[in-house]
Amino acid sequence: MTADISKKLKTAEVEKISHIDYFKIAISVDCVIFGFENKELRVLLIKSDLEEFAGKWSLLGDLVKVDEDLDSAPYRVLRQRTGLDDVFLQQVGSFGAINRHPSGRVITTAYYSLINIRNHKLEITDNEVHWHSLKNLKDLAFDHKQIIESCLQRLRIQIMDEPVIFNLLPEKFSLRELQDLYQAILGIKLDRRNFRKKIALKNWLDDLDEMEDDVPHRPGKLYKLKTGLKKNKLIEAAEKVK
Amino acid sequence: MTADISKKLKTAEVEKISHIDYFKIAISVDCVIFGFENKELRVLLIKSDLEEFAGKWSLLGDLVKVDEDLDSAPYRVLRQRTGLDDVFLQQVGSFGAINRHPSGRVITTAYYSLINIRNHKLEITDNEVHWHSLKNLKDLAFDHKQIIESCLQRLRIQIMDEPVIFNLLPEKFSLRELQDLYQAILGIKLDRRNFRKKIALKNWLDDLDEMEDDVPHRPGKLYKLKTGLKKNKLIEAAEKVK
DNA sequence: TCAAAAGTGTTGACTTTACACCCATGA
DNA sequence: TCATGGGTGTAAAGTCAACACTTTTGA
């Protein structure tokens, strides 16, 4: 019986050789980096450096290295391209239409990231990087429009019952800012009283006993996310999935 | 200005050459095929044909071909390995730890599939294929245990508001069978009266005015999924996401 | 004193849960 | 006649949506 089985088995080395033709696909990661400014949800895009997509905007991404975890690659991309470290990242899905990339067969895994535009001064090495409003996104390179849509979809679901949205806000924020942000992401207006009730119920926030001081109207109370709730590592998110 | 940009741009051909080292990662798909039998949720596994995993069970999967859409690959795998066509499939996520595969660097994209064990007589070309109960899954090859967990997680969410569960049942079924199935997937007992109310509310079912005839107790009414509701193509699922 | 937003409760509609009895069938 | 599940309604608790007035601040 054992002999029987082992006759059919092949070593990994043999398998690799027999499949060597398959090692002709590259895999990339693309980051959909959301930010919030001026009551609008934004996404960070870069001018494509491919001739085929001259003038078009694209997501920040890169090929995955042979000795690099898939889920580590988007962290590297963010670090290298924007200087950001320790950000919230979550895998959304993989996109692999045959002709999605003009350089050859490249399958990409998309991640979404939430960052605070003000806090993180981007060390942008390339000046052709820009925060785009999510309205009027057109003429994107590759299938990046579709990827952004999927990530937005995922974001909308996730903010409803996980405390991820706070990655988009400064440490201290008012309930108005939080509500504006929910509205920007969901694309709908929310009732103020009901919104405050719902947030209070979730028990995500600590009241700081401080007030806004830079607004041209009655200042609101400032809050911060309760410590221990911030899930800003993909690894922690993965734990939750288990 | 135009000249300025084009100086920095590279053609896809040039890019491909400069990145040729990256085309050393293979990508595979793995299918988590769920079935329902004996009031239990099952998953279809195959004995690994790799020496490194001798005796261990693994998911049905294969490397993605260079000229094959990523999302088409799991359909091919199912067709080749089980003779199944036109099944429900949905992408769940990609797994890419560096050493997850002993043959080399292989990143895999996981899909979950729902099929009716009885209806589809599997044309199994290999007799080392088996329907496993989800309890006592151990000693799986690769990271397949973790992949199954992720897919189960997704399944649990999806059955709550999309009519996908019916892919696991025969054309005609009773409400008891449906409830047993929900219970098996969710791992909890449900109240019969409340369950029936909730299902009625969803308006997914047509009453067939027929009765069970093979049960050792009072027979229940038979129902079928309303026509037009069955989402059994990944493409249609993707439409919904948009 | 005006404009802008802060802060705050109640009601009605709806949803969810818990729970028990009689009925039809086959063995 | 027994065992098994089929089939059904109601009441209490909880959640959700709609809605308006007074207060505080800066300009």
Side-chain angles (χ1 to χ4, degrees), chain A residues 1-241:
Chain A
M1 176 67 180
T2 314
D4 225 339
I5 288 176
S6 64
K7 231 185 283 176
K8 289 160 52 189
L9 296 177
K10 38 194 167 179
T11 63
E13 199 44 45
V14 168
E15 204 218 32
K16 176 162 183 174
I17 290 163
S18 72
H19 285 153
I20 201 78
D21 278 351
Y22 289 100
F23 287 80
K24 290 193 170 156
I25 304 179
I27 183 147
S28 65
V29 292
D30 282 298
C31 301
V32 176
I33 307 163
F34 291 112
F36 178 58
E37 198 175 37
N38 246 327
K39 303 201 177 187
E40 268 195 332
L41 191 63
R42 305 267 163 113
V43 61
L44 193 65
L45 298 178
I46 186 172
K47 275 278 176 68
S48 175
D49 63 348
L50 279 185
E51 201 173 66
E52 284 80 354
F53 292 128
K56 300 201 176 188
W57 294 94
S58 71
L59 294 169
L60 269 71
D62 197 5
L63 293 172
V64 176
K65 300 185 175 183
V66 169
D67 59 351
E68 175 179 52
D69 267 357
L70 176 63
D71 284 343
S72 304
Y75 287 103
R76 172 179 56 81
V77 169
L78 284 188
R79 204 178 323 108
Q80 290 180 346
R81 306 292 276 279
T82 67
L84 294 175
D85 218 337
D86 193 38
V87 293
F88 174 89
L89 263 175
Q90 184 137 147
Q91 195 192 104
V92 172
S94 296
F95 297 78
I98 297 173
N99 291 311
R100 60 174 295 284
H101 197 302
S103 297
R105 189 67 202 288
V106 183
I107 289 172
T108 198
T109 299
Y111 292 76
Y112 89 83
S113 176
L114 302 177
I115 75 172
N116 178 312
I117 294 184
R118 297 284 169 91
N119 268 23
H120 300 280
K121 268 280 156 269
L122 301 184
E123 300 164 16
I124 290 169
T125 52
D126 187 321
N127 60 0
E128 300 212 81
V129 173
H130 188 250
W131 285 104
H132 284 249
S133 161
L134 275 171
K135 299 157 193 161
N136 321 320
L137 274 187
K138 41 191 127 174
D139 255 359
L140 297 192
F142 308 100
D143 46 7
H144 287 182
K145 174 104 200 240
Q146 185 197 349
I147 291 175
I148 291 171
E149 288 297 329
S150 297
C151 289
L152 178 57
Q153 176 98 357
R154 173 72 64 95
L155 174 63
R156 284 180 172 152
I157 292 165
Q158 210 131 23
I159 59 172
M160 300 313 283
D161 39 43
E162 286 173 64
V164 297
I165 201 171
F166 305 98
N167 290 291
L168 288 164
L169 290 172
E171 177 95 1
K172 305 175 177 187
F173 51 86
S174 67
L175 291 177
R176 171 181 36 80
E177 291 173 286
L178 183 60
Q179 182 176 347
D180 285 343
L181 178 49
Y182 267 96
Q183 292 180 159
I185 293 173
L186 298 173
I188 55 175
K189 270 199 63 149
L190 299 170
D191 176 88
R192 184 155 41 112
R193 276 180 289 191
N194 293 336
F195 175 77
R196 284 164 186 239
K197 254 181 294 178
K198 202 178 276 181
I199 292 295
L201 225 50
K202 291 194 192 292
N203 202 29
W204 286 340
L205 301 186
D206 277 340
D207 185 337
L208 287 170
D209 277 318
E210 284 178 65
M211 293 294 186
E212 291 180 293
D213 59 359
D214 52 352
V215 289
H217 53 73
R218 174 174 174 182
K221 278 184 161 183
L222 290 174
Y223 295 83
K224 74 179 210 13
L225 182 61
K226 268 193 194 334
T227 48
L229 283 181
K230 202 159 191 171
K231 298 256 175 260
N232 59 3
K233 293 270 185 186
L234 198 140
I235 292 85
E236 294 175 43
E239 268 168 28
K240 205 168 171 172
V241 169

Side-chain angles (χ1 to χ4, degrees), chain B residues 37-192:
Chain B
E37 197 175 39
N38 247 328
K39 301 199 180 191
E40 268 195 332
L41 192 62
R42 305 268 163 112
V43 62
L44 192 66
L45 298 178
I46 186 170
K47 275 277 176 68
S48 175
D49 63 348
L50 279 185
E51 202 171 66
E52 283 81 355
F53 292 128
K56 301 201 175 186
W57 295 94
S58 71
L59 295 169
L60 269 71
D62 197 6
L63 293 172
V64 176
K65 300 185 174 182
V66 169
D67 58 351
E68 176 180 52
D69 266 359
L70 176 63
D71 284 343
S72 304
Y75 287 104
R76 172 178 58 80
V77 169
L78 285 188
R79 204 178 324 108
Q80 289 179 347
R81 306 291 277 278
T82 68
L84 293 174
D85 218 336
D86 193 37
V87 294
F88 174 90
L89 264 176
Q90 184 136 146
Q91 195 192 105
V92 172
S94 297
F95 297 78
I98 296 173
N99 292 313
R100 58 174 297 283
H101 197 302
S103 297
R105 191 66 203 287
V106 183
I107 289 172
T108 198
T109 300
Y111 292 76
Y112 89 85
S113 176
L114 302 176
I115 75 173
N116 177 311
I117 295 184
R118 297 284 169 91
N119 268 23
H120 300 280
K121 268 281 157 269
L122 301 184
E123 299 164 18
I124 291 168
T125 52
D126 187 321
N127 61 0
E128 299 211 85
V129 173
H130 188 249
W131 285 104
H132 285 248
S133 161
L134 276 171
K135 300 158 193 160
N136 320 320
L137 275 188
K138 43 190 126 173
D139 256 357
L140 297 192
F142 308 98
D143 46 6
H144 287 181
K145 174 107 199 234
Q146 186 197 348
I147 291 176
I148 291 170
E149 288 298 328
S150 298
C151 288
L152 178 56
Q153 175 97 357
R154 174 71 65 94
L155 174 62
R156 284 179 172 153
I157 291 165
Q158 209 130 23
I159 59 172
M160 302 312 283
D161 40 42
E162 286 174 64
V164 297
I165 201 171
F166 305 98
N167 290 291
L168 288 164
L169 290 172
E171 177 93 2
K172 304 175 177 187
F173 52 86
S174 68
L175 291 177
R176 172 182 35 79
E177 291 173 285
L178 183 60
Q179 182 176 347
D180 285 344
L181 177 49
Y182 267 95
Q183 292 180 159
I185 293 173
L186 298 173
I188 55 175
K189 270 198 64 147
L190 300 169
D191 177 88
R192 185 157 40 119

